[in-house]
C-alpha cells in the first residue's frame, strides 16, 4: 500500500478508535467513522468493508504494538518484574481513561459477533501467555516466588478484566490502582 493509503488507514483507525471508546461498538456506523475521519464514505469503503473490519484492525494493531514493546523491553534487558509492573500499570491507566478505553467496546464486540468472540479469546490467551512468561522469568531471576505461573497469570488478567466492568459503573480511584498492584505482588509471591 502507498504512503498516502497508509496515512488514510491510520486516520480512519484513529477516528474509529475515538468513536468506539466514546460510544461502544454497536453505536458506531461507517457514516460516523467517515465523518470523524473527515473522509468520504467511498474513501472509507476503499479501505474497509464494515465496522467489524475496522474494529478488528484496531485490536490487531494494539496487540502488535504490545508485542513489539515487550520484545523491545526484553532486548534492552528490562527485568521481567519491571515489564510486568509496567503492563499492569498501563492496563490500569487504560481502564481509568474512559475517554480512550475501548475495553468495554471489545466486550460488546465479542458478545455480538462470532468474529469478536474469536478475537477476544485470542487476545485473552495472548495476555495470559505473556504474563505467565513474565512471571516465570521473574521466578528465575528471584523477583517472584510463584508456584503456578499459568494460574497466577489467569487470575491477574481476570482481575484486570473485572476492573474494566467495575470502572464502567464506578470509576476506579487512584488508591484502588495502587491496591490492585499490591494484591498482584502478593499473588506473585505465594
Amino acid at each position: 500500500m502507498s504512503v498516502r493509503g497508509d496515512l488514510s488507514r491510520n486516520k480512519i483507525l484513529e477516528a474509529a478508535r475515538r468513536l468506539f471508546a466514546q460510544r461502544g461498538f454497536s453505536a458506531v456506523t461507517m457514516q460516523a467513522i467517515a465523518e470523524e475521519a473527515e473522509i468520504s464514505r467511498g474513501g472509507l469503503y476503499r479501505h474497509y468493508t464494515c465496522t467489524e473490519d475496522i474494529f478488528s484492525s484496531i485490536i490487531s494493531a494494539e496487540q502488535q504494538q504490545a508485542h513489539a514493546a515487550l520484545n523491545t523491553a526484553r532486548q534492552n534487558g528490562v527485568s521481567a518484574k519491571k515489564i510486568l509492573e509496567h503492563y499492569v500499570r498501563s492496563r490500569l491507566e487504560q481502564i481509568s481513561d474512559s475517554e480512550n478505553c475501548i475495553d468495554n467496546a471489545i466486550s460488546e464486540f465479542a458478545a455480538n459477533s462470532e468474529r469478536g468472540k474469536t478475537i477476544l479469546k485470542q487476545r485473552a490467551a495472548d495476555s495470559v501467555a505473556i504474563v505467565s512468561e513474565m512471571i516465570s522469568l521473574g521466578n528465575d531471576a528471584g523477583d517472584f516466588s510463584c508456584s503456578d505461573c499459568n494460574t497466577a497469570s489467569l487470575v491477574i488478567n481476570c482481575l484486570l478484566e473485572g476492573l474494566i466492568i467495575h470502572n464502567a459503573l464506578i470509576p476506579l480511584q487512584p488508591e484502588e490502582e495502587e491496591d490492585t498492584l499490591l494484591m498482584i505482588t502478593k499473588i506473585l509471591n505465594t
Side-chain angles (χ1 to χ4, degrees), residues 60-76 83 130:
S60 177
E62 288 186 355
Q63 289 294 97
Q64 289 172 358
Q65 289 169 352
H67 284 286
L70 175 63
N71 289 333
T72 299
R74 282 186 192 150
Q75 291 169 355
N76 290 332
I83 293 170
I130 289 169

Side-chain angles (χ1 to χ4, degrees), residues 5 22 26 29 32 37 41 43-44 51 67 83 86-87 106 116 119 127-128 149 154 171:
Q22 293 167 3
S26 299
T29 63
R41 281 181 59 147
L44 177 60
T51 56
H67 284 286
I83 293 170
H86 176 75
Y87 169 78
I106 290 171
I119 290 170
S127 295
V128 169
C149 299
L154 182 61

Side-chain angles (χ1 to χ4, degrees), residues 24-59:
F25 175 73
S26 299
V28 176
T29 63
M30 293 293 277
Q31 178 66 38
I33 293 170
E35 289 171 6
E36 182 76 13
E38 299 177 338
I39 64 169
S40 69
R41 281 181 59 147
L44 177 60
Y45 280 102
R46 249 181 260 136
H47 297 286
Y48 297 99
T49 60
C50 62
T51 56
E52 273 195 12
D53 288 343
I54 295 170
F55 200 72
S56 297
S57 292
I58 291 168
I59 295 170

Side-chain angles (χ1 to χ4, degrees), residues 94-118:
Q94 288 170 355
I95 292 166
S96 297
D97 184 4
S98 59
E99 290 287 313
N100 295 305
C101 184
I102 66 166
D103 286 294
N104 286 324
I106 290 171
S107 296
E108 182 185 353
F109 179 50
N112 295 308
S113 155
E114 283 304 314
R115 182 177 183 188
K117 286 178 190 168
T118 301

